[in-house]
Structures are given as C-alpha cells and as structure tokens.
Amino acid sequence: MLETIAGANGGGQPGTTTRWLVDAVGLSCTLGYAALAFLARPPGDPDLAVFFSLMAWTGLPVFGLFLYCHQRDEPVPLDRLLFWAVAFRICGLVGGPLLEDDFYRYLWDGYRFATTGTPYAAVPEAFFTDTSVPATFHAVLDGINNPELPTIYGPTTQFIFLLGYWLRPGSIAALQGVLIVIDLATVILLLRLAPARNVMLYAWCPLVVKEIAFTAHPDGIGVGLLLATLVLAQGHRWRSAAVCLGLACGAKIFALVLVPFVLVGATIRHWVLFGTTLAVLYAPFALGGGTDLSSLLVFAREWEFNSAAYGLLTLALSAFEAKLVLGLACALFWGWYYWRYRREEGQPAPRGDWVYGVLLAASPVINPWYLLWVLPFAAIFPSVWAWTASMAVLISYVTGLNVNDYELQAYQQPLRARLLEFGLILLALAWSASRRGRRKAQ
C-alpha cells in the first residue's frame, strides 16, 4: 500500500542531504516534544514562555525543511515522514494533556455511554453527590467544565469515547491512543491527495501533535472521516462516500459546510443515503433523552472566545446583528465558491482551507483545535497564511487562567495577545496577496 502511495506522490528520489536534513529535523522535534511531555507530567501546566519556545522549536524547522524540499523539487522520504510522525505522537501519549481540561468530559461521556446507553440524558452536575459513581469518575467529575450543560460532542465522537472506556475506564491515555491511530490514518489519506513533502506540514505540525496526541481533542475524528470521504469520492465510490460523510457530520457539525462540495457529483440517492446515515446516528440518542444540539445552541448563542471579525463587529453592533451580518457574508462566500467549484476540473479537493478559514474568521469562538479542520487542506494547497495561523493561534492560550492574572477572567485574553495573533495572520495574508500580485504583473 505504501508503495502505491509513494508512486502517487512520485517524482524522483530524495538526495542524501535531504535525507540527512529530514532525520535531523525529525530528531530535533522529537527532543522538543519529549521536553514538552516531561513538563506535562507533573501537576499543573508548563510555563507559557517555555510552551511557546517548544512550539517554535518543533515548528519552525519543519517549515524550513518544507521550503528546502519545495525549492529543489525533492520529495520527502515516506518512511522517514511516517517514522518521525509516530515518534512525535508517542511523546504526546507519554506526556498527556496540557493547558486544557476538556478531556474530563470525554472520559465522563464514555462512562455514561457505557453504563446507561447515552451520554446526553443527564448533566454532570446531577452526579456530584451520587455515591454510586465510582471514585475514579468522581475525580473526573471534579474537572469537568460547564457541568450544568449536557455534552456538546456528537454521536460519532461518542462512539470513540466509548471505545476509550472499553479499553480502560477513566484513562485518558487509552483515548489518546485511539485518537493517535485515527490521526495517523488521516496522514495516510492525505498522502493520496498531496505530495509527501506537503503532507509533512500536517503530519509534523506542532498544533496537530499538541491538540491530538497530547490533549486528545476529538476533532481529528471528523477531519479523518472527511478526508476519507474525499478519497472515496475521487474513486466515484459514492455510496461509501455518502455514509462516511454522514459519520463526519455526526462527529462535528463543521463537516456540514463541505457537504455540497463533496457530493457535487453524486445523485439524489447518495444525498438521501447521507441524510439517512446522519438520522440513524442521532435517532437512538434523541429517543433516549437528548442530543448534542441543545448545548450547541447555548454555545452558538452565548459563547465568545478569541474571535476575529465577530469581535470587531460587536464594537459597533449587537451580538445578534454581528452574527447576522457575518452569517450573510459567509453564505455569499460559500455560494460564490460553490458556483466556482462546479466549474473547476482536476482539483484534488475543494478549498477547505478557504471555506473553514472564512467560517473561523466569522466565528464568535476560535479555539486552537478548530484549525485542525483547515490544516489538511492547507497541506493539499499550501499557503503562508494557513501555516502562520497554525502557530499564531497558539497565542490564544494566553488567558487569565494560564497566566494567573487575577485581573482577567479565566478565559479572558489580554488585548495585546489577540492583536498579536491576528496581526501575524493578517501580515501573512498581505504578504501572500502581494506575492500573487507580483506574479500576475510579470
């Protein structure tokens, strides 16, 4: 199988210098992730300055290696790409979560799903004084944020939480292991859509390693299923693609925005199969007491964190008006791009980096792991802005909770942090636009 993938990403053999550089960068990054794993083990989180230094240590050399190979049109050795990708993720497995507490909810959902058949029927705070809950899961309960709300995670994701519970109840390492396997499958799928040197940007990306391997964020489930859908659609295996796309949407609603682009060549029967898959996923939970939709509505109505365009608009408009304006802007963009995409031929995939980039720019909440939906497409269509964003978004971890600034609320950001984050992304966009303009003028 790997030989087939290597052939599809073909184009000669890497030189001795390239092989040496790949291993040197891989070893250096492994040392950086090992240091991060060491710092993640004791109680508490690493100092943010140290965290950012290690992210730069593990990220900047990868971008430099990509540019070196790109300029010389040399491939990245596939065996080395995969070897070091696995090594980085093993460091995350050893280290465990840092700067996040969402994993407590994943463990609790797996427990509730396994013992009652649904994680949606009761909120966590209803069990604070329940003596029938095992001691391990009372400790988990203590760490859950927003315990007054039902879980916000979709049905497909819940089956992965359930698998983690079956492997080892209450163990975040078991769930990390499952998510790492899914993420490595995503890397293999990307190799069918992009050259290995491009895929290296995703497989070796610090944000990906931190958010999936270390912190066990489950967005990689939906991303992997979405990429599987694209590969199946390329082979005109529409029935399998429709089912896979339904599972992706059942993992996270983010997948919904690409549905028209992915099924653009499908028939009405495949659209019905997609809808049926999604309905079958949700029906047992809806009948059993609830779904993720109630908490998603609360999230959409009330939460704001690290927003870009939304944060600016709310300086002049109400929250509702800002959401309405940005919603209309997104709809216009998606309509324009759908019209354009239907007329394009030979594209390996829709520009998910554009679609999700616009969605996130308009969103009231931009958590770092949301970029996991952008980055696979940024490997297929490399861009300076997307990979700059993969590093800049880490600045959003500068919050009152993580800097111990008692003048800030727990998830409040200093203004200078948000300005720096989005300033870097805007500079990258401006540089790319300027470079594109110079090329057209030549």
Side-chain angles (χ1 to χ4, degrees):
M1 178 182 175
L2 290 182
E3 288 79 2
T4 302
I5 294 173
N9 288 280
Q13 295 293 322
T16 302
T17 302
T18 298
R19 290 180 179 272
W20 181 87
L21 281 173
V22 169
D23 283 337
V25 171
L27 178 59
S28 174
C29 291
T30 300
L31 293 174
Y33 288 123
L36 190 61
F38 175 78
L39 293 171
R41 295 302 295 176
D45 290 316
D47 180 78
L48 280 180
V50 176
F51 170 73
F52 291 136
S53 297
L54 289 173
M55 290 293 97
W57 178 0
T58 54
L60 297 181
V62 174
F63 300 145
L65 178 60
F66 169 79
L67 291 174
Y68 176 89
C69 294
H70 178 72
Q71 289 171 357
R72 289 159 179 77
D73 197 25
E74 286 197 47
V76 169
L78 191 59
D79 56 346
R80 285 166 163 79
L81 183 153
L82 294 174
F83 173 82
W84 292 114
V86 171
F88 304 159
R89 286 156 176 80
I90 289 174
C91 292
L93 182 62
V94 172
L98 67 157
L99 300 174
E100 287 291 342
D101 58 10
D102 287 349
F103 66 93
Y104 290 111
R105 176 75 76 160
Y106 316 153
L107 299 178
W108 178 255
D109 284 0
Y111 163 70
R112 292 291 297 163
F113 196 173
T115 55
T116 69
T118 177
Y120 301 109
V123 298
E125 70 176 6
F127 298 90
F128 284 161
T129 59
D130 189 336
T131 57
S132 68
V133 175
T136 298
F137 286 97
H138 263 300
V140 168
L141 268 174
D142 290 341
I144 294 176
N145 59 50
N146 299 297
E148 73 283 359
L149 294 176
T151 182
I152 202 170
Y153 301 100
T156 305
T157 302
Q158 294 297 342
F159 283 102
I160 301 300
F161 295 163
L162 178 64
L163 176 57
Y165 176 88
W166 283 343
L167 290 173
R168 190 176 177 186
S171 169
I172 189 58
L175 184 57
Q176 284 174 276
V178 174
L179 293 174
I180 285 170
V181 169
I182 293 171
D183 188 40
L184 291 171
T186 298
V187 172
I188 299 298
L189 289 166
L190 263 179
L191 286 166
R192 293 189 173 274
L193 299 167
R197 67 170 173 253
N198 291 19
V199 176
M200 179 186 68
L201 288 170
Y202 176 88
W204 292 18
C205 175
L207 179 69
V208 175
V209 176
K210 188 270 175 191
E211 298 299 349
I212 296 178
F214 277 86
T215 313
H217 274 294
D219 287 61
I221 301 166
V223 171
L225 287 165
L226 188 56
L227 289 181
T229 303
L230 292 174
V231 171
L232 290 166
Q234 271 195 343
H236 301 287
R237 298 167 63 183
W238 289 111
R239 283 183 293 182
S240 298
V243 172
C244 206
L245 187 57
L247 293 171
C249 294
K252 191 160 188 170
I253 59 170
F254 274 25
L256 283 171
V257 299
L258 275 193
V259 169
F261 302 95
V262 176
L263 294 182
V264 67
T267 67
I268 187 65
R269 288 180 301 169
H270 302 124
W271 279 86
V272 170
L273 181 57
F274 158 73
T276 301
T277 301
L278 202 51
V280 168
L281 273 174
Y282 270 94
F285 298 109
L287 295 172
T291 68
D292 58 319
L293 299 181
S294 61
S295 288
L296 283 172
L297 289 174
V298 175
F299 179 89
R301 186 174 61 247
E302 299 180 6
W303 291 1
E304 189 279 337
F305 174 74
N306 193 41
S307 60
Y310 175 80
L312 286 174
L313 277 182
T314 51
L315 297 176
L317 303 175
S318 69
F320 174 78
E321 291 169 337
K323 290 172 184 177
L324 181 61
V325 168
L326 292 170
L328 289 173
C330 286
L332 288 172
F333 169 79
W334 290 327
W336 166 80
Y337 181 58
Y338 182 73
W339 174 83
R340 170 176 165 169
Y341 182 69
R342 290 193 63 176
R343 286 157 177 76
E344 291 178 339
E345 293 184 4
Q347 288 281 11
R351 292 300 301 260
D353 54 334
W354 292 359
V355 174
Y356 286 119
V358 168
L359 175 66
L360 293 182
S363 175
V365 177
I366 308 177
N367 286 312
W369 53 93
Y370 290 3
L371 269 289
L372 294 173
W373 292 84
V374 173
L375 299 183
F377 297 96
I380 302 170
F381 308 101
S383 61
V384 173
W385 75 264
W387 294 105
T388 299
S390 76
M391 299 295 289
V393 74
L394 293 168
I395 298 172
S396 66
Y397 279 114
V398 179
T399 63
L401 184 65
N402 292 327
V403 298
N404 295 319
D405 185 339
Y406 297 105
E407 294 184 359
L408 297 173
Q409 297 179 11
Y411 296 103
Q412 186 180 356
Q413 300 165 281
L415 178 60
R416 62 183 181 276
R418 199 178 297 199
L419 290 174
L420 176 60
E421 176 186 350
F422 294 115
L424 290 170
I425 297 171
L426 287 172
L427 283 174
L429 281 167
W431 185 87
S432 297
S434 173
R435 189 181 181 200
R436 192 161 49 248
R438 289 196 301 268
R439 284 179 176 174
K440 287 182 179 180
Q442 290 176 352

